[in-house]
Amino acid sequence: MKILISGSHGLVGTALIPMLELEGHDIFRLVRHAPNAETEIEWSPDRYSIALARLEGFDAVVHLAGESIAEGRWTDEKKKRIRESRVKGTRLLGDALANLTQPPHTFICASAIGYYGDRGDEVLTERSEPGKDFLADVCVEWEQATALASEKGIRVVNCRFGIILDAKGGALAKMLPPFRMGVGGKIGSGRQWMSWIALDDVIGGIKFALANGSIRGPVNFVAPAPVTNAVFTKTLGKVLSRPTIFPIPAFGVRLLFGEMADALLLSSQRVESAVLQTAGYLFRYATLEGALRHVLKD
Ligand SMILES: NC(=O)c1ccc[n+]([C@@H]2O[C@H](COP(=O)([O-])OP(=O)(O)OC[C@H]3O[C@@H](n4cnc5c(N)ncnc54)[C@H](OP(=O)(O)O)[C@@H]3O)[C@@H](O)[C@H]2O)c1
């Protein structure tokens, strides 16, 4: 297939592209700078511009771009960038695809389990209602921005990614230094649910969704066994052979991270991957300990 990818230099894009190339797909990148190669196509979500003519004739588009949520304090300006890079960026790309003469058959678009907000012990599936906080609002608008593409007959898949586990990036990479030093511990009460997924299964799930024409709409990308923060902490300590006896109280993380603390670290989402599992996707890493041992093997 001829596949276009946005956000290609991020954690997911960097892992996805070589796997798709290995399978013989032709990969093009949507880039936010002047193109340096025939396989780069320019766009600017900020200026709401995209090289429309060059979008013709792709089989599929995988849209991963978005301002980082975990880097930097959530000032009003940062929150605006988090929202606009996703909502404006997705509308720009999705509407452009919808109006092509030769549109792609599939548009795979990132979203996040932040869609559900802070939900305690409730088990959440793709059918659950959205939450009511900032990230939930962003995710709702992010997914709605694919509506025109869907109306025009493109198969849209909104991947609600859980906490993606990889040693080189994302949440786990940030947690590793204190845990390796033996000063890790649970966050707040430790009762908040963490719905995680190994990076390999993100790639496997995207490839599965690309190939499986019956999958459309919201899809939870989370492993079958979410855990509480207390269990996550204990398991990470076990895999690293380090103690985890230094809890961080909720007020401490709020002091350190501001609003981001409640949204990302103290928020609870117990999410099931109902669509992927019903469609027959087999997770390579279904248990947290197995996933962490794999991800941290080097
Ligand atoms: N990692 C996770 O645990 C996780 C969890 C839930 C949801 N997600 C979502 O899944 C998507 C991919 O995740 P990821 O971990 O690969 O993200 P990432 O490492 O932060 O990469 C995102 C990419 O988006 C592009 N980008 C950055 N700032 C941008 C801006 N202001 N406007 C437009 N594009 C911008 C960059 O790519 P280019 O330089 O190539 O343009 C960047 O590499 C993201 O939308 C993320 O929010 C991730």
Side-chain angles (χ1 to χ4, degrees), residues 80-92:
K80 190 169 171 232
R81 284 204 305 277
I82 288 174
R83 183 188 292 269
E84 290 199 345
S85 63
R86 290 179 169 76
V87 179
K88 246 172 83 177
T90 302
R91 188 162 300 125
L92 169 64

PDB file of all heavy atoms in Angstrom, residues 80-92:
ATOM      1  N   LYS A  80      -3.690  25.532  24.591  1.00  0.00           N
ATOM      2  CA  LYS A  80      -4.195  25.927  23.266  1.00  0.00           C
ATOM      3  C   LYS A  80      -3.484  25.117  22.164  1.00  0.00           C
ATOM      4  O   LYS A  80      -4.111  24.643  21.226  1.00  0.00           O
ATOM      5  CB  LYS A  80      -3.944  27.435  23.086  1.00  0.00           C
ATOM      6  CG  LYS A  80      -4.607  28.025  21.884  1.00  0.00           C
ATOM      7  CD  LYS A  80      -4.542  29.551  21.902  1.00  0.00           C
ATOM      8  CE  LYS A  80      -5.012  30.089  20.573  1.00  0.00           C
ATOM      9  NZ  LYS A  80      -4.112  31.018  19.955  1.00  0.00           N
ATOM     10  N   ARG A  81      -2.144  24.956  22.344  1.00  0.00           N
ATOM     11  CA  ARG A  81      -1.392  24.184  21.336  1.00  0.00           C
ATOM     12  C   ARG A  81      -1.810  22.716  21.349  1.00  0.00           C
ATOM     13  O   ARG A  81      -1.912  22.073  20.304  1.00  0.00           O
ATOM     14  CB  ARG A  81       0.118  24.314  21.585  1.00  0.00           C
ATOM     15  CG  ARG A  81       0.715  25.647  21.147  1.00  0.00           C
ATOM     16  CD  ARG A  81       2.215  25.533  20.866  1.00  0.00           C
ATOM     17  NE  ARG A  81       2.957  24.988  21.987  1.00  0.00           N
ATOM     18  CZ  ARG A  81       3.392  25.682  23.031  1.00  0.00           C
ATOM     19  NH1 ARG A  81       3.171  26.993  23.087  1.00  0.00           N
ATOM     20  NH2 ARG A  81       4.068  25.099  24.008  1.00  0.00           N
ATOM     21  N   ILE A  82      -2.031  22.163  22.555  1.00  0.00           N
ATOM     22  CA  ILE A  82      -2.466  20.756  22.662  1.00  0.00           C
ATOM     23  C   ILE A  82      -3.779  20.566  21.896  1.00  0.00           C
ATOM     24  O   ILE A  82      -3.936  19.641  21.108  1.00  0.00           O
ATOM     25  CB  ILE A  82      -2.639  20.348  24.154  1.00  0.00           C
ATOM     26  CG1 ILE A  82      -1.273  20.221  24.822  1.00  0.00           C
ATOM     27  CG2 ILE A  82      -3.438  19.047  24.288  1.00  0.00           C
ATOM     28  CD1 ILE A  82      -1.325  19.954  26.331  1.00  0.00           C
ATOM     29  N   ARG A  83      -4.718  21.492  22.111  1.00  0.00           N
ATOM     30  CA  ARG A  83      -6.027  21.377  21.466  1.00  0.00           C
ATOM     31  C   ARG A  83      -5.932  21.635  19.963  1.00  0.00           C
ATOM     32  O   ARG A  83      -6.367  20.827  19.149  1.00  0.00           O
ATOM     33  CB  ARG A  83      -7.010  22.374  22.098  1.00  0.00           C
ATOM     34  CG  ARG A  83      -8.424  22.280  21.538  1.00  0.00           C
ATOM     35  CD  ARG A  83      -9.290  23.420  22.054  1.00  0.00           C
ATOM     36  NE  ARG A  83      -9.558  23.308  23.467  1.00  0.00           N
ATOM     37  CZ  ARG A  83     -10.615  22.687  24.000  1.00  0.00           C
ATOM     38  NH1 ARG A  83     -11.488  22.112  23.211  1.00  0.00           N
ATOM     39  NH2 ARG A  83     -10.795  22.653  25.305  1.00  0.00           N
ATOM     40  N   GLU A  84      -5.312  22.765  19.597  1.00  0.00           N
ATOM     41  CA  GLU A  84      -5.348  23.165  18.179  1.00  0.00           C
ATOM     42  C   GLU A  84      -4.537  22.243  17.286  1.00  0.00           C
ATOM     43  O   GLU A  84      -4.927  21.969  16.159  1.00  0.00           O
ATOM     44  CB  GLU A  84      -4.883  24.613  18.028  1.00  0.00           C
ATOM     45  CG  GLU A  84      -5.918  25.567  18.600  1.00  0.00           C
ATOM     46  CD  GLU A  84      -5.767  26.979  18.099  1.00  0.00           C
ATOM     47  OE1 GLU A  84      -4.711  27.320  17.527  1.00  0.00           O
ATOM     48  OE2 GLU A  84      -6.720  27.756  18.297  1.00  0.00           O
ATOM     49  N   SER A  85      -3.369  21.765  17.797  1.00  0.00           N
ATOM     50  CA  SER A  85      -2.567  20.878  16.947  1.00  0.00           C
ATOM     51  C   SER A  85      -3.366  19.625  16.600  1.00  0.00           C
ATOM     52  O   SER A  85      -3.205  19.059  15.521  1.00  0.00           O
ATOM     53  CB  SER A  85      -1.253  20.499  17.639  1.00  0.00           C
ATOM     54  OG  SER A  85      -1.515  19.764  18.818  1.00  0.00           O
ATOM     55  N   ARG A  86      -4.256  19.214  17.497  1.00  0.00           N
ATOM     56  CA  ARG A  86      -5.047  18.000  17.234  1.00  0.00           C
ATOM     57  C   ARG A  86      -6.332  18.319  16.463  1.00  0.00           C
ATOM     58  O   ARG A  86      -6.607  17.712  15.431  1.00  0.00           O
ATOM     59  CB  ARG A  86      -5.382  17.308  18.559  1.00  0.00           C
ATOM     60  CG  ARG A  86      -4.147  16.705  19.175  1.00  0.00           C
ATOM     61  CD  ARG A  86      -4.371  16.034  20.493  1.00  0.00           C
ATOM     62  NE  ARG A  86      -3.169  15.289  20.837  1.00  0.00           N
ATOM     63  CZ  ARG A  86      -2.045  15.851  21.292  1.00  0.00           C
ATOM     64  NH1 ARG A  86      -1.981  17.158  21.482  1.00  0.00           N
ATOM     65  NH2 ARG A  86      -0.972  15.111  21.537  1.00  0.00           N
ATOM     66  N   VAL A  87      -7.098  19.280  16.967  1.00  0.00           N
ATOM     67  CA  VAL A  87      -8.417  19.503  16.376  1.00  0.00           C
ATOM     68  C   VAL A  87      -8.274  20.174  15.004  1.00  0.00           C
ATOM     69  O   VAL A  87      -8.805  19.698  14.001  1.00  0.00           O
ATOM     70  CB  VAL A  87      -9.301  20.335  17.331  1.00  0.00           C
ATOM     71  CG1 VAL A  87     -10.665  20.578  16.706  1.00  0.00           C
ATOM     72  CG2 VAL A  87      -9.439  19.619  18.670  1.00  0.00           C
ATOM     73  N   LYS A  88      -7.477  21.274  14.970  1.00  0.00           N
ATOM     74  CA  LYS A  88      -7.290  21.981  13.690  1.00  0.00           C
ATOM     75  C   LYS A  88      -6.529  21.099  12.708  1.00  0.00           C
ATOM     76  O   LYS A  88      -6.870  21.003  11.535  1.00  0.00           O
ATOM     77  CB  LYS A  88      -6.470  23.263  13.932  1.00  0.00           C
ATOM     78  CG  LYS A  88      -7.225  24.551  13.684  1.00  0.00           C
ATOM     79  CD  LYS A  88      -6.417  25.748  14.123  1.00  0.00           C
ATOM     80  CE  LYS A  88      -5.409  26.197  13.098  1.00  0.00           C
ATOM     81  NZ  LYS A  88      -4.667  27.409  13.510  1.00  0.00           N
ATOM     82  N   GLY A  89      -5.475  20.438  13.234  1.00  0.00           N
ATOM     83  CA  GLY A  89      -4.628  19.584  12.382  1.00  0.00           C
ATOM     84  C   GLY A  89      -5.443  18.451  11.763  1.00  0.00           C
ATOM     85  O   GLY A  89      -5.312  18.144  10.576  1.00  0.00           O
ATOM     86  N   THR A  90      -6.303  17.832  12.577  1.00  0.00           N
ATOM     87  CA  THR A  90      -7.091  16.697  12.074  1.00  0.00           C
ATOM     88  C   THR A  90      -8.159  17.176  11.102  1.00  0.00           C
ATOM     89  O   THR A  90      -8.422  16.532  10.082  1.00  0.00           O
ATOM     90  CB  THR A  90      -7.730  15.936  13.258  1.00  0.00           C
ATOM     91  OG1 THR A  90      -6.667  15.525  14.112  1.00  0.00           O
ATOM     92  CG2 THR A  90      -8.509  14.724  12.799  1.00  0.00           C
ATOM     93  N   ARG A  91      -8.762  18.336  11.395  1.00  0.00           N
ATOM     94  CA  ARG A  91      -9.782  18.858  10.458  1.00  0.00           C
ATOM     95  C   ARG A  91      -9.135  19.208   9.118  1.00  0.00           C
ATOM     96  O   ARG A  91      -9.669  18.887   8.052  1.00  0.00           O
ATOM     97  CB  ARG A  91     -10.476  20.081  11.064  1.00  0.00           C
ATOM     98  CG  ARG A  91     -11.662  20.527  10.226  1.00  0.00           C
ATOM     99  CD  ARG A  91     -12.623  21.417  10.976  1.00  0.00           C
ATOM    100  NE  ARG A  91     -13.196  20.774  12.139  1.00  0.00           N
ATOM    101  CZ  ARG A  91     -13.147  21.266  13.380  1.00  0.00           C
ATOM    102  NH1 ARG A  91     -12.534  22.407  13.604  1.00  0.00           N
ATOM    103  NH2 ARG A  91     -13.698  20.620  14.382  1.00  0.00           N
ATOM    104  N   LEU A  92      -7.956  19.853   9.194  1.00  0.00           N
ATOM    105  CA  LEU A  92      -7.235  20.211   7.964  1.00  0.00           C
ATOM    106  C   LEU A  92      -6.978  18.962   7.113  1.00  0.00           C
ATOM    107  O   LEU A  92      -7.306  18.924   5.923  1.00  0.00           O
ATOM    108  CB  LEU A  92      -5.904  20.885   8.350  1.00  0.00           C
ATOM    109  CG  LEU A  92      -4.874  21.115   7.252  1.00  0.00           C
ATOM    110  CD1 LEU A  92      -5.413  22.080   6.204  1.00  0.00           C
ATOM    111  CD2 LEU A  92      -3.565  21.673   7.845  1.00  0.00           C
TER     112      LEU A  92
END
